Amino acid sequence: MKKLIIALLICIGAGASAQRFVGGDISLLPEYENAGAVYKDLEGSVIPDLLPWLKTQGMNAMRVRLFVNPDKYKQQNPAADKNACQDLEYITPICKRIVDNDMDLMLDFHYSDTWADPAKQWTPLDWQDLTDEQLYQKIYDYTRESLLSLQAEGITPAFIQPGNEISYGMLWGKEGDAESDLKKVYMNNSANWERFGTLLRQAIKACREVCPDAKIVLHTERVSQPDVEKYFYDKMQELNVDYDIIGLSYYPYFHGKIYKLDTSLSMLQSNYPDKQIMIVETGYSYAWEVPGTGQSVDYPYSADGQNAFATALVNTLEKYPSVNGLFWWWMEYNAYSTGLSGWYNAPLFDSRDGKALPSLTTICSFVGSSAVNEFYSTDEPDSDQWYNLQGIPVENPTHPGIYISHNKKIRRF
């Protein structure tokens, strides 16, 4: 039997290529599966189990968000978005599936009962009467207890986000309370930065104690404002916040054309050479305007347009050795056979027929371009055998993907 040896050169350091991670935020996958969503591959064949199939396509990491007490929030706010449902009990099974499929887990602490983003960083209902000193202890305790609970189930995150899109801080206070503005942080304003830094240090302390090998991701969303990004990460140095990875959100209809991301990545790599960079949220619609965005940016709303964006994104990321991660947000959205819907609808599956979109293959090419750096055959170099990126033999492939044949990485379109 012919034997192919794939040497994975995973090394981090000056002049070396770091391992890359590609996947997506799949926090609602259990909801779609419970509703009977049908996922299909690019040729239309039904995928019996999505996670192992994604693994065969080259994905090696998945992101899951965590809210503190979303049920209590929805009880008090009946109109709240039902998709913000991921408490610790909810996420434990899906996190277990991720690690059991030999994928790395990125755990995204929102430190809120509902969506936390630049405009909404509301303190969980059960924490709202705490003083700042009590909050410092609470965020440590909650982070530590959550991680210990996951570990008890055999789940250890490889990456941890202490906060979600935190350019303006977090744990501002009660929703709608004017005093919450007094807890925000701003560029060129010294107010509240020490408070914010203490919250982060306490959260990260718990992460380092429970998951010492996990990489800490500080997640911002100011790609269109490199000066704000630089101010933020300079402040992190000034405040002695211990982290490993700069995490970015980049959506072209929110943050501008691809050159904006290019400019931001150039600045970040130049100013923080000791940090890796990940795109932890991105996306583009395949069929219709994303609500609230007004217009497309360079790419039509079609499968081809979405793939053109994904191609431009991967090509841009390839320019920067510091970039080692790409995660597509809400990639698992799939209303086919379910009737489910949502406000965003820019996934990697077509809700009209359940089929995977070409962009899925395109973003997977990012991990393939660096994860496999050398391969060779022990027997005949001209073997017609094909292999996927995990080294598993496959028949002559007819659907798109990155494969190994004749001792070369080959992308099939």
Side-chain angles (χ1 to χ4, degrees), residues 205-349:
K205 177 184 176 184
C207 297
R208 297 296 196 200
E209 290 176 357
V210 181
C211 303
D213 295 328
K215 301 298 185 183
I216 304 301
V217 183
L218 292 191
H219 177 199
T220 59
E221 70 308 309
R222 296 289 115 180
V223 163
S224 60
Q225 298 173 291
D227 56 337
V228 177
E229 281 189 329
K230 186 174 186 304
Y231 189 87
F232 180 93
Y233 290 106
D234 282 350
K235 274 290 187 181
M236 295 300 100
Q237 291 181 332
E238 178 185 324
L239 293 166
N240 295 313
V241 175
D242 174 25
Y243 74 102
D244 306 293
I245 297 171
I246 293 171
L248 304 176
S249 292
Y250 171 62
Y251 301 96
Y253 30 72
F254 294 143
H255 302 119
K257 298 186 178 184
I258 199 77
Y259 79 86
K260 296 274 192 179
L261 175 63
D262 202 350
T263 299
S264 181
L265 292 175
S266 178
M267 181 277 294
L268 291 168
Q269 181 171 274
S270 175
N271 284 278
Y272 313 100
D274 60 325
K275 304 300 182 186
Q276 294 172 322
I277 304 169
M278 287 184 169
I279 306 300
V280 299
E281 289 188 23
T282 193
Y284 199 80
S285 177
Y286 67 88
W288 52 80
E289 176 186 309
V290 176
T293 62
Q295 61 182 5
S296 64
V297 181
D298 286 341
Y299 316 101
Y301 286 141
S302 65
D304 287 343
Q306 186 193 63
N307 197 37
F309 163 70
T311 300
L313 177 61
V314 169
N315 289 342
T316 299
L317 301 185
E318 290 280 5
K319 296 165 56 177
Y320 298 97
S322 292
V323 178
N324 74 328
L326 171 57
F327 293 78
W328 195 278
W329 193 68
W330 207 347
M331 60 166 283
E332 79 284 15
Y333 175 87
N334 182 3
Y336 182 62
S337 299
T338 69
L340 298 176
S341 63
W343 71 270
Y344 185 54
N345 299 341
L348 294 177
F349 292 89

Side-chain angles (χ1 to χ4, degrees), residues 344-381:
Y344 185 54
N345 299 341
L348 294 177
F349 292 89
D350 191 327
S351 283
R352 296 167 296 192
D353 58 17
K355 289 175 62 175
L357 291 157
S359 297
L360 190 149
T361 298
T362 298
I363 69 166
C364 287
S365 71
F366 181 65
V367 71
S369 60
S370 73
V372 180
N373 293 302
E374 182 182 352
F375 39 88
Y376 56 91
S377 173
T378 60
D379 304 298
E380 301 172 18

Side-chain angles (χ1 to χ4, degrees), residues 70-278:
D71 286 343
K72 185 170 184 176
Y73 181 83
K74 284 183 283 189
Q75 289 171 5
Q76 296 194 15
N77 300 272
D81 184 355
K82 64 181 181 180
N83 293 320
C85 58
Q86 291 81 14
D87 60 11
L88 188 60
E89 181 180 2
Y90 179 105
I91 71 164
T92 298
I94 185 62
C95 290
K96 179 65 171 171
R97 288 172 59 191
I98 290 168
V99 299
D100 283 352
N101 277 282
D102 197 27
M103 290 178 166
D104 285 317
L105 170 66
M106 178 181 289
L107 181 62
D108 176 16
F109 281 97
H110 276 238
Y111 296 125
S112 182
D113 295 328
T114 188
W115 300 106
D117 59 37
K120 303 184 295 294
Q121 294 284 340
W122 310 122
T123 302
L125 292 171
D126 290 340
W127 303 7
Q128 288 181 354
D129 293 329
L130 301 180
T131 66
D132 282 348
E133 290 297 325
Q134 291 171 327
L135 272 179
Y136 301 152
Q137 185 63 42
K138 187 65 177 181
I139 198 171
Y140 168 83
D141 291 341
Y142 168 76
T143 303
R144 184 176 185 275
E145 291 163 6
S146 297
L147 294 173
L148 286 172
S149 177
L150 291 173
Q151 276 196 345
E153 300 297 326
I155 303 160
T156 300
F159 309 100
I160 305 174
Q161 280 185 226
N164 187 79
E165 295 189 335
I166 52 175
S167 294
Y168 299 105
M170 61 186 183
L171 294 169
W172 292 342
K174 298 179 181 179
E175 183 173 355
D177 190 336
E179 290 188 4
S180 65
D181 286 341
L182 302 178
K183 302 293 186 180
K184 298 178 183 179
V185 297
Y186 295 101
M187 182 177 174
N188 298 321
N189 186 327
S190 62
N192 299 319
W193 281 100
E194 184 55 49
R195 173 186 184 271
F196 179 37
T198 303
L199 290 168
L200 284 175
R201 290 192 299 268
Q202 284 290 95
I204 293 168
K205 177 184 176 184
C207 297
R208 297 296 196 200
E209 290 176 357
V210 181
C211 303
D213 295 328
K215 301 298 185 183
I216 304 301
V217 183
L218 292 191
H219 177 199
T220 59
E221 70 308 309
R222 296 289 115 180
V223 163
S224 60
Q225 298 173 291
D227 56 337
V228 177
E229 281 189 329
K230 186 174 186 304
Y231 189 87
F232 180 93
Y233 290 106
D234 282 350
K235 274 290 187 181
M236 295 300 100
Q237 291 181 332
E238 178 185 324
L239 293 166
N240 295 313
V241 175
D242 174 25
Y243 74 102
D244 306 293
I245 297 171
I246 293 171
L248 304 176
S249 292
Y250 171 62
Y251 301 96
Y253 30 72
F254 294 143
H255 302 119
K257 298 186 178 184
I258 199 77
Y259 79 86
K260 296 274 192 179
L261 175 63
D262 202 350
T263 299
S264 181
L265 292 175
S266 178
M267 181 277 294
L268 291 168
Q269 181 171 274
S270 175
N271 284 278
Y272 313 100
D274 60 325
K275 304 300 182 186
Q276 294 172 322
I277 304 169
M278 287 184 169

